[in-house]
Amino acid sequence: MWRKTLAGLPEVTEHPGVSCRSMRDGDASAWDTIVSEAFGWPEPSGHFEAHMRHDPSFAPERVYFVLRDGLPVATASAWCKPDKFGVDVGYLHFVAVRPGHTNRGLGTLASLVALHAMAADGRTSVVLLTDDHRQAAISIYLKLGFSPLVTHESHRDRWRDVFGKLPDPSLVQKFADDLDADV
Ligand SMILES: CC(C)(COP(=O)(O)OP(=O)(O)OC[C@H]1O[C@@H](n2cnc3c(N)ncnc32)[C@H](O)[C@@H]1OP(=O)(O)O)[C@@H](O)C(=O)NCCC(=O)NCCS
């Protein structure tokens, strides 16, 4: 998916008992907990080192946490992949919420904070990768202004299937031009 511009992002709104901040020393284990629980990975540790810290795009100020009552429960990262997408394009990375804290807007909040950070970092548009079955995540991204990005013939039918499983029946029509775009 992509958001063709990072202009016009919604404002970050206050949630009672909830705060947001970027990564601090010692936060890697909190990230591991959130991500391993959210993605259902059996191994509870080592993921931050493997997926984030050794990536050339890593900087603590690109990794965001949402805290509920002081406990980190959600994360999203304001990444970039300049070799693949160019220096102007941000990459929304590892959006995850601990299972006991979902459906309270925290995944949306973490994503939005990361998008604002990308804009502040000088990116002008943003892409992300997701999976067909991630309906809650896709709902967040659509709500935040992302559109389908068709880069393979198979994507058109897959998007129609995805939209068919979401509650809003008008999505196929809304994104008809995106689905008809040349690959
Ligand atoms: C996806 C995830 C980040 C969502 O976190 P969250 O805190 O529940 O997200 P929010 O509460 O901000 O928003 C979830 C939205 O999905 C909607 N939703 C939830 N389940 C849904 C479903 N099965 N089908 C469609 N929409 C669904 C909610 O209604 C909500 O939309 P709304 O605000 O318009 O009502 C979280 O479930 C998660 O970590 N999942 C596993 C990891 C993952 O898939 N990460 C994304 C990788 S691309």
Side-chain angles (χ1 to χ4, degrees):
M1 301 182 78
W2 67 330
R3 197 182 197 278
K4 298 169 199 177
T5 172
L6 275 165
L9 287 172
E11 292 301 315
V12 174
T13 52
E14 297 270 327
H15 291 52
V18 171
S19 58
C20 303
R21 61 165 175 77
S22 58
M23 185 167 199
R24 296 178 186 159
D25 286 351
D27 277 341
S29 64
W31 192 93
D32 282 349
T33 299
I34 297 166
V35 169
S36 59
E37 287 185 4
F39 286 90
W41 293 345
E43 185 60 47
S45 61
H47 303 298
F48 191 84
E49 298 304 318
H51 295 286
M52 304 291 278
R53 198 186 299 282
H54 299 300
D55 187 308
S57 294
F58 170 66
E61 61 274 18
R62 290 184 175 155
V63 181
Y64 286 87
F65 291 94
V66 171
L67 293 82
R68 197 160 163 232
D69 300 326
L71 181 75
V73 295
T75 184
S77 287
W79 226 239
C80 55
K81 292 182 182 265
D83 294 348
K84 194 165 182 185
F85 300 117
V87 291
D88 295 334
V89 181
Y91 183 86
L92 185 60
H93 200 30
F94 272 112
V95 176
V97 179
R98 290 186 77 174
H101 301 267
T102 55
N103 289 316
R104 293 181 170 92
L106 304 186
T108 304
L109 179 61
S111 302
L112 184 56
V113 168
L115 294 176
H116 277 284
M118 284 176 206
D121 213 11
R123 317 284 168 209
T124 55
S125 63
V126 51
V127 296
L128 62 82
L129 295 183
T130 188
D131 300 295
D132 307 39
H133 68 276
R134 299 196 184 281
Q135 292 163 17
I138 290 168
S139 295
I140 291 176
Y141 306 143
L142 292 171
K143 193 168 51 179
L144 290 177
F146 282 81
S147 317
L149 181 55
V150 171
T151 57
H152 186 272
E153 275 300 328
S154 68
H155 290 179
R156 302 180 210 288
D157 285 343
R158 286 168 60 190
W159 269 109
R160 289 185 183 105
D161 285 348
V162 167
F163 287 147
K165 291 175 184 143
L166 294 177
D168 181 353
S170 69
L171 287 169
V172 172
Q173 287 310 317
K174 181 175 176 189
F175 291 107
D177 289 349
D178 298 274
L179 299 190
D180 285 342
D182 290 336
V183 174

